[in-house]
Amino acid sequence: MVAKRIIPCLDVADGRVVKGVNFVGLRDAGDPVELACRYSASGADELVFLDIAASHQGRATLVDLVRRTADAVTIPFTVGGGISSVEGITELLRAGADKVSLNSSAVRDPDLVARGAERFGCQCIVVAIDARARDNGQPGWDVYVKGGRENTGLDAVAWAQRVVALGAGEILLTSMDGDGTQAGYALELTRAVADAVEVPVIASGGAGCIDHIAAALDAGPAGGHASAALLASLLHDGVLTVEQIKGDLLGRGLPVRPLATLC
């Protein structure tokens, strides 16, 4: 059975890690490379860096951050934010990133997913989907871009299926309604997407305790069916550690990579 992953997320703006609620009210959470080293040493399975200002301000220099991170950690990491071309993907992968995350650019140019997957392999291409429940009384979730400011009108489940057909090897699914609230992952949304695609889905947005993480990873009828859980506030604020989370999940019988096997 494939192990479930615990993935710290580092949202970066102006070279610092930030955290907010529902994509607003950002506060400083530390130096990205220092946090990456801490999480790598503590047993995290992967890392995700997202330049949350890049898509609407023009991509800042992520390359230096990627190089410094690649020199400092031993676990895979994904980088996203303002990547709008195969050349941009190339630059970040050459700097040391293991995967790139496409969001607004995938909506604007879906063929970028296909071109990236053809050149670098599906395993390098992650499509990030920021989804919010519809507020018009209709069921389902809409896809948002530009840091959550623009509703594309795309259905989140259908969009996930389309990008996987184009070559995306993983979906990073964020519930905008849950982001930063610590009220729990959007299990219905996560389950709907995970059941609709044949690639791993990373649950993001809303973790407030280990019960929430376990629920997102649970493959049962009420679980989120996710392959990985993305975490930010709980780890940045020191509420939980990776060690505590993995120990608890192992006790519940969930297949996570035990700390003793880490190199």
Side-chain angles (χ1 to χ4, degrees):
M1 185 177 294
V2 177
K4 304 288 188 177
R5 291 167 289 152
I6 301 300
I7 306 178
C9 180
L10 297 95
D11 290 334
V12 179
D14 299 322
R16 299 287 293 178
V17 177
V18 296
K19 195 68 192 87
V21 176
N22 303 132
F23 284 38
V24 296
L26 301 179
R27 56 182 171 81
D28 188 278
D31 176 77
V33 178
E34 288 180 6
L35 286 173
C37 290
R38 181 193 308 169
Y39 296 139
S40 177
S42 70
D45 296 295
E46 298 182 21
L47 298 167
V48 169
F49 289 94
L50 297 176
D51 184 341
I52 62 172
S55 291
H56 68 281
Q57 293 181 352
R59 184 162 67 93
T61 56
L62 276 179
V63 176
D64 180 61
L65 171 60
V66 170
R67 287 198 182 107
R68 290 189 292 126
T69 302
D71 288 341
V73 305
T74 58
I75 58 177
F77 66 96
T78 300
V79 178
I83 305 168
S84 58
S85 65
V86 171
E87 291 72 24
I89 297 172
T90 303
E91 186 178 32
L92 292 168
L93 293 178
R94 284 179 176 171
D98 298 277
K99 312 174 196 177
V100 296
S101 174
L102 307 176
N103 190 335
S104 298
S105 60
V107 172
R108 184 171 57 252
D109 178 16
D111 191 54
L112 177 61
V113 177
R115 298 196 305 272
E118 180 179 5
R119 181 160 179 179
F120 303 106
C122 296
Q123 78 284 348
C124 288
I125 307 299
V126 179
V127 170
I129 299 176
D130 297 333
R132 173 174 281 162
R134 297 191 178 109
D135 59 7
N136 60 2
Q138 297 298 312
W141 305 268
D142 287 329
V143 175
Y144 283 71
V145 294
K146 297 183 179 178
R149 289 180 301 279
E150 181 179 307
N151 186 349
T152 66
L154 292 169
D155 176 78
V157 176
W159 176 237
Q161 291 174 313
R162 183 180 177 192
V163 296
V164 168
L166 288 168
E170 194 163 40
I171 299 295
L172 171 53
L173 179 65
T174 299
S175 164
M176 292 182 60
D177 300 301
D179 179 68
T181 65
Q182 299 191 15
Y185 293 99
L187 296 182
E188 185 180 358
L189 165 65
T190 305
R191 184 170 57 249
V193 173
D195 289 353
V197 299
E198 296 182 355
V199 302
V201 171
I202 304 171
S204 171
C209 62
I210 296 179
D211 286 344
H212 293 157
I213 301 167
L217 301 175
D218 186 359
H225 301 182
S227 297
L230 200 75
L231 303 168
S233 298
L234 281 180
L235 296 176
H236 300 338
D237 295 339
V239 177
L240 290 172
T241 66
V242 175
E243 296 97 325
Q244 289 172 325
I245 294 166
K246 285 197 166 186
D248 185 279
L249 295 178
L250 282 169
R252 299 174 190 238
L254 282 166
V256 298
R257 191 164 60 120
L259 299 175
T261 67
L262 297 172
C263 329

